[in-house]
Amino acid sequence: MICSGSAADGVAAELLASEVLFAENRAAAARCRGVHALVEHHERQLEARLQEMGPGEPDWSRLDPIDHTCQSLVATTGVTYSRASDVVGLAVDVHAWAPAVLDAMESGLLCERIAMLLCSRIRDVDPSLSHEVQAAVVEDYLKRLHRGERPNRRTISRHADNVVAKIDPEGEAERRRDAAFGRGVRFRREDRGMCTMTARLPAAAGAVLAERIDAFAGKAAPGDRRTLSQRRADALVAMATGDHVVVDPDGGYRGTSAAGSADPTPGSARGSDAARGGGNGARTGEAAGSGASAGDGAPAAAAEDAAGQRGADGADDPVHAPVNVSPLLRPRVTVIANGVGAPRLEFARTGEAALETLTRLLESAKGATFELVDTRPGTHDGGESAYRYRIPPDLARRVRMRDGTCRHPGCAVPAESCDIDHIVPFNHSDPSSGGLTIEKNLMCMCRRHHRYKTFSDAHYEYLDGGRIKIRFGRHVLTTTPTGPLARARGFVTAPVSPRPNRPPGRSPGASSEDGPERSRRRGDHDDDPPPF
């Protein structure tokens, strides 16, 4: 039990920490003013130098005032050049065309990182509209804060883009066309023999790559302790080299071995044939492709079989991971139509795709799965499943499509990486009394925040439109779903009744057929694992 003195100390500590953060935001605004003054100083120096320059002085000999300012900060403060460049860039932006961002920083409500993010979303707006756009973007963000919302960075970007599109629709269309020019793959050297690869791709291309990597990665064989993320990394290397990835029994990476130098794992293809998708590799891949799904990230069936054929003896020797399977592409495309405007095409993990991009993808695919989504809330509720603890796969997928990310305020963990939790806890002794397994009582929660919800005194409540209200002591916040289904529901006004009819002649939750042991034997996915 917490005594009143401890509670008062907690409130005082919270107020102190909050005031320090507000002061930090105001200090960032003051830094912008100071840095901009330094930029102006170097601009005056440049102007004086230009007056002294002779007529034959080349333009490239002129030093950029911004570069000068960055170098001054590096020399005097010891910050990295990258950090100095960010600070100077923000100072120039908020003084040149985004004064509303600076005002919000000085109020203490806008931190430097979000200020940089907002500026990045509105930097390319037509100059004649920039003042109106930046004011509207900042106003929208602050209103959301006052309403109790705590959006993550991705959601903040989407909200800003929506405001920009309303004010400058022609410019937004041009920016979407130009976005493809920002595609690229970069490699950065890291310590301890590692490197980091980042890629920016069109949504459809990302869906192709995600499906191919997952199909190559397969499932872990007995004795293979690698995580899914590690298997994906090894699969990417194997796709490029055509070799088998060799891993230690504890999951460590040992390198690659030539496909012909050792007996391949049963079910995997040999050498370069696998990389090219030809020969025996193509035939193996044909079977694998039939089970692949870009939408769900399911591994290929052949890869699963190959993993399952390994004996337990493999735990004592280096594992030749079954990553050389060369599946055919069979993408899963979600079509969301709400009766207003053109239907939306979505890939579950990579987002919206244009119709022409999808057409090019289908030309190289061997079949595809199209899923037409009914956007009305509650269409997957009803029947006996509402009175069972475990969540049906189609309902789980629908909740993920609605939420987009973890529903904890400010969390950006993708929905496909989250648990699905009952908002009102499921009543195992009497399911009909509350906590039903229906859409409006389910939400995506990453494992960290799932545990927080379960073991803290936070209270969660479902509101209309998929919004969720959370009470943290004396604070009340709300979160809004950001998934493609939620976006399509902006026009939906007639939801289906969310409470299902109780099945006649059955005692809810009493069937031994659906006990936990039976469910585990069937291999059902546990979207809401105990003790949550």
Side-chain angles (χ1 to χ4, degrees), residues 108 274 487 526:
R487 295 198 296 273
D526 187 358

Side-chain angles (χ1 to χ4, degrees), residues 46 94 97 99 149 153 179 225 233 279 292 323 352 383 461 469 472 484 488 492 496 511 527:
L46 176 61
V94 298
W97 52 268
E149 297 183 26
R153 290 176 60 87
R225 301 179 183 177
V323 294
E352 186 178 2
E461 178 184 351
K469 179 168 68 174
F472 304 91
V492 177
V496 176
S511 173
D527 286 295

